[in-house]
């Protein structure tokens, strides 16, 4: 199989950064900075074209951005849907391998995101610096904005639904990956990564040390700091009512 560049369509707190880091190391295509369409990042000028009522400048801008087929990780839930649709359309035309990465337990994802926003700890390295200061009482994180949380759940479900509808309506080939299937069984992660790489036309040896590097990464352990956020339990109860959870379903 001829190697393809890749596009990861995802939401925050799904493990996309770790997956991107591994795939960037094994791909022959260059990888742009994470979430390059965000404000103040390399492709923010393309996002600005969403303000134009004429869709042609946006499509041309996206075409130019993908001309040399860079690898991209794109968090779509807080950016204009028109941008994501243009990105998917052009990536499909350019022969990208497209992956959708989500989390089965949306309540946990949203709570992890809320904790990160309250503490400013985005990832294990930041948590290692910030969490001890919170535990020592040197930093007091603010409470979680429950109104904003409720709105974000609705917005994120809407964005995901629109992305899925576009992929299906256009019959765009894609792999749907789940956070839990990637990371909840560390012993199986290397084989999963080998399969993902193979689907992109990249052959990685089973003993490649880059597989071990990802499998051995530590988590952020957001639950550790939860008691320090005053309304954490209230936020968790709200999310349990708003989100689909893996323990909401049963067989028989």
């Amino acid at each position: 199989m001829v190697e393809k560049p890749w596009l990861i369509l995802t939401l925050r707190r799904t493990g996309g950064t770790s997956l991107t880091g591994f795939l960037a190391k094994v791909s022959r295509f260059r990888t742009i900075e994470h979430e390059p369409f965000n404000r103040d990042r390399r492709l923010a000028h393309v996002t600005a074209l969403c303000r134009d009522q004429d869709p042609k400048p946006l499509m041309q801008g996206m075409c130019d951005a993908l001309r040399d087929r860079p690898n991209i990780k794109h968090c779509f839930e807080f950016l204009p849907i028109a941008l994501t649709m243009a990105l998917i359309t052009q990536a499909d035309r350019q022969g990208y391998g497209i992956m959708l990465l989500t989390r089965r337990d949306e309540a946990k994802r949203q709570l992890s995101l809320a904790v990160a926003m309250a503490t400013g700890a985005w990832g294990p390295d930041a948590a290692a610096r910030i969490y001890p200061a919170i535990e020592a009482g040197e930093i007091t994180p603010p409470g979680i904005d429950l109104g904003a949380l409720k709105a974000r759940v609705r917005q994120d479900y809407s964005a995901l639904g629109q992305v899925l509808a576009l992929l299906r309506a256009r019959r765009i080939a894609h792999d749907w990956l789940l956070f839990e299937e990637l990371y909840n069984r560390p012993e199986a992660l290397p084989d999963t990564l080998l399969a993902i790489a193979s689907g992109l036309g990249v052959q990685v040896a089973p003993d490649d040390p880059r597989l071990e590097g990802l499998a051995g990464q530590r988590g952020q352990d957001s639950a550790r700091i939860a008691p320090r956020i005053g309304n954490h339990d209230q936020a968790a109860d709200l999310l349990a009512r708003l989100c689909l959870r893996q323990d909401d379903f049963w067989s028989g």
Side-chain angles (χ1 to χ4, degrees):
M1 180 188 292
V2 176
E3 183 177 347
K4 305 173 186 176
W6 43 262
L7 167 64
I8 298 176
L9 300 166
T10 190
L11 305 99
R12 292 169 291 182
R13 315 306 286 181
T14 60
T17 297
S18 296
L19 179 61
T20 296
F22 167 74
L23 291 177
K25 291 176 182 176
V26 302
S27 175
R28 71 176 180 84
F29 294 91
R30 73 183 180 95
T31 301
I32 292 185
E33 64 181 327
H34 293 207
E35 298 149 46
F37 297 99
N38 291 3
R39 185 178 61 180
D40 300 328
R41 295 195 182 173
R42 185 172 304 180
L43 298 179
H45 63 281
V46 180
T47 307
L49 296 173
C50 292
R51 294 193 292 263
D52 198 315
Q53 295 299 312
D54 184 352
K56 292 180 182 177
L58 173 60
M59 292 302 293
Q60 184 59 55
M62 189 63 72
C63 181
D64 293 341
L66 270 58
R67 194 173 302 281
D68 67 341
R69 303 205 294 171
N71 298 317
I72 294 175
K73 185 195 85 165
H74 175 65
C75 288
F76 55 77
E77 77 268 29
F78 56 89
L79 290 172
I81 192 62
L83 174 79
T84 299
M85 290 186 171
L87 174 59
I88 293 172
T89 299
Q90 291 297 342
D92 183 49
R93 290 175 180 172
Q94 291 275 22
Y96 274 66
I98 298 176
M99 291 165 276
L100 175 64
L101 174 61
T102 64
R103 195 160 173 166
R104 179 181 288 121
D105 195 327
E106 176 65 5
K108 282 189 176 180
R109 186 190 75 82
Q110 288 283 356
L111 195 57
S112 175
L113 177 59
V115 169
M117 296 175 73
T119 62
W122 297 88
D125 292 339
R129 295 193 314 270
I130 296 171
Y131 284 4
I134 293 175
E135 291 169 327
E138 298 168 6
I139 298 175
T140 302
I144 296 169
D145 185 333
L146 299 182
L149 181 61
K150 189 172 184 179
R152 187 162 61 246
V153 169
R154 291 173 174 168
Q155 175 182 312
D156 290 2
Y157 271 130
S158 175
L160 177 58
Q162 291 179 83
V163 168
L164 286 168
L166 176 64
L167 291 170
R168 179 62 176 163
R170 298 274 182 86
R171 298 180 180 177
I172 294 173
H174 63 282
D175 289 324
W176 191 345
L177 308 175
L178 292 174
F179 170 91
E180 289 82 358
E181 294 176 0
L182 280 174
Y183 300 112
N184 281 5
R185 294 178 57 219
E187 71 281 2
L189 181 56
D191 287 340
T192 302
L193 294 174
L194 287 174
I196 293 172
S198 179
L200 295 169
V202 180
Q203 297 305 312
V204 180
D207 60 351
D208 192 306
R210 292 171 293 189
L211 292 168
E212 296 178 4
L214 181 54
Q217 283 188 1
R218 68 190 189 282
Q220 186 169 329
D221 192 15
S222 297
R224 163 186 163 193
I225 211 68
R228 303 284 180 166
I229 301 174
N231 63 344
H232 179 277
D233 290 348
Q234 190 177 354
D237 289 343
L238 174 62
L239 288 169
R241 295 194 301 272
L242 294 176
C243 299
L244 294 174
R245 294 155 51 92
Q246 49 188 334
D247 57 0
D248 286 339
F249 302 93
W250 60 92
S251 60

